[in-house]
Amino acid sequence: MLQNYLFIGLFVAVAVLFPFLAVGVAWLLRPKKPTPMKQSTYECGLETVGETWVRYKVQFYIYALVFVLFDIETVFLFPWAVAYHQLPLFALVEMFLFIGILLAGLAYAWRKGALRWF
Amino acid sequence: MGILETLDQLLNILGNALARWLATFLPAWAVTAIMDFLVIVLVVAVALVIVLFLIWMERKAVARFQDRLGPNRAGPYGILQSIADAVKMLTKEDVIPAKADKGAFNWAPAIMVAPALLVYAVIPFGRGMVPQDLNIAILYVLAMASMTTIAVLTAGWSSNNKYALLGGLRIGAQLLAYEIPMALSMLAVVLLAGSMSTVRIVEAQARLPFILMLPGVFLVHFICAAAESNRGPFDLPEAESELVAGFFTEYSGMKFGLFFVAEYINLFAISAIITTLWLGGWQGPLLPSWFWFFAKSFAVIFVFMWVRFTLPRFRIDHLLSFAWKFLLPLALTNLFVVGLVVKLGLGFWPQAAALLVTNVAVTVGALYLGGWALRRAQQRAVEERMAQWRAWQQSR
Amino acid sequence: MFPIVPIVFAVLSVIVLGAAVMVVTNRNLFHSALYLILTFLGMAGLYVLLEAEFLAGVQVLIYVGAIAVLILFAIMLSGRYLQDPGRQLNQQWPLAAIFAVLFFGVLAFVLLQVRWATVQAEVPGNYLTRLGQDLMGPYVLPFEVASVLLLVAMVGAILIARER
């Protein structure tokens, strides 16, 4: 098993190196003439107005929160799915309970308008 | 060995011969290291060649769909167009905005490309031709897909540009929304196959590909895969009319090229995964296994492109509510119904038929339910508007 | 055989510890978050060394793919207010350093002196199936309680975070 991951580790090294290699090749080939005009922020040809931050939109954060919780739920489902053929029927009921509790949470989020975008 | 079998296992035969030759004068660990390195280089090379081909294919296909010719200047039928694009990107100046966060700015393309490439390590390109047979292959694929979110957010933030930041946040929200239904639909396949290993999933489809057992779940997976790679009708966050170019507005030259390439690497990767999970992988009569694999993968890619050129873009709030309020409950219901049918303990063919029937029933039912709910919500919105207007009229 | 496991362990440890130090000392909040991601990835590597590949996959999927994203969203939405938090050290740092060294000494002593109950066991080939069976069998109560915990977290977060 560890042999497999040695391969993956090597692959990670190569895969991370490759973009830098590509950019390195480009660095050798391309012109380098930075001017203040070129380096200014792009705003459809206009001057930038105000600080660069987005008005606080809590919706993004709520989506990420709900995502974390459902991601954890999905992780619990993985061993269940793999072992499913060897599990008794009761495992289905147990999983139904698990998913049901979390669906109740989703329904709560839905009703409270946490899933609305605006 | 028959000639077809030799052709099928050509890569394996060559690889084994090379390993044997190396083993005559190198210790075992060096042989493994060199063979691993060669496989990695081969996979990356194959990925890049496929990407070059895909760039051309997309432009030709979109042109034909729109009743025009497409690239036909660079080489016969324009097949050297991709190389021309690559040369262009290599030689453009790399403009970094003045107040950009240089470290994060430079790392974002790497964080985007590396996970997309890493998925290729578990794709079964043919019979016995998977670079590594991981026990947790599907989990690995999902983990790599989740790293894209980090790359996008980093790129958006480090550009010091309002549009890039907003684009990055929006794509992040979209990626998060569609990851769960995708994981759940993959889980349905894992449940049927009893393993997360891609090799075993392909083997489990020896009698019938899973798409014929669970077409509804396949559909959910397909939609989520399109959303995960910002393709097709889900490319609002990078739509030019909306946010310039979204999170990679400030990227130029090769760094932009890397984002571009990463998208196509990802496209082939998800098509390969769909082929593996739903279409039976490399299985097929007569012809070599790798031929079938690539044929099926490119067919899936063509469908992705077809969908992209045909459907109009979704609005961001439609996109997100579709994922959270429709696909997520649907995927959970599908998983549950599949579990129920499997526990009935029927024989192979009755179970396949039962799965097909129940899956279609659940999907159609969900569509009806969704349509009814949508209509009701629209009616309510209209009534609310009318009430508002009447109230305003009376107050005048 | 080439002693590869200790070398990989050393490299991963350096990555994890180095990135952790960078998280705490870096002045740029976004960079701290990125170093945190590096720490998580290093931890995933350590899990792989322990032959717990499922845990490693889950670590990347959840910690990097969900929790780090949550942290990044929070940073990005807080605007530039949290850019430069000021000086990293205040006037009491010598005292803090002494206590940190003492604490480290105590921890090292405990780690080296206690006879930890380790088990020499092979990871079974079908450990995923066994994990599923255990989760649905002897450990089903913690499993269900986990879902209740997640529900509580969701309700609490939505209650706190929604617009009034």
Side-chain angles (χ1 to χ4, degrees), chain B residues 71-105:
Chain B
N72 57 1
R73 294 248 176 248
Y77 290 104
I79 51 177
L80 297 180
Q81 182 69 38
S82 313
I83 303 188
D85 278 337
V87 169
K88 172 189 83 171
M89 282 188 224
L90 276 175
T91 54
K92 289 270 185 198
E93 180 175 351
D94 189 3
V95 178
I96 303 184
K99 280 183 278 176
D101 188 348
K102 285 204 180 43
F105 191 78

Side-chain angles (χ1 to χ4, degrees), chain B residues 295-368:
Chain B
K296 290 182 198 176
S297 298
F298 277 108
V300 174
I301 290 181
F302 181 72
V303 176
F304 270 121
M305 291 187 178
W306 188 357
V307 167
R308 179 190 187 179
F309 306 143
T310 313
L311 296 177
R313 237 168 239 144
F314 288 139
R315 220 171 65 187
I316 186 86
D317 56 335
H318 289 165
L319 233 148
L320 292 171
S321 52
F322 180 61
W324 287 113
K325 299 184 189 176
F326 185 74
L327 283 183
L328 179 56
L330 176 62
L332 281 172
T333 316
N334 274 331
L335 188 62
F336 190 66
V337 167
V338 169
L340 206 61
V341 171
V342 166
K343 268 311 167 199
L344 290 178
L346 305 166
F348 180 78
W349 292 106
Q351 180 177 291
L355 284 173
L356 180 64
V357 167
T358 48
N359 192 227
V360 169
V362 167
T363 310
V364 168
L367 284 171
Y368 266 112

Side-chain angles (χ1 to χ4, degrees), chain A residues 22 32 34 44 47-48 51 54-56 64 69 90 94 101 104-105:
Chain A
K32 299 177 245 313
C44 301
E47 291 293 313
T48 318
E51 279 283 321
V54 183
R55 218 193 81 189
Y56 189 76
L69 297 166
F90 193 59
E94 291 167 354
I101 293 180

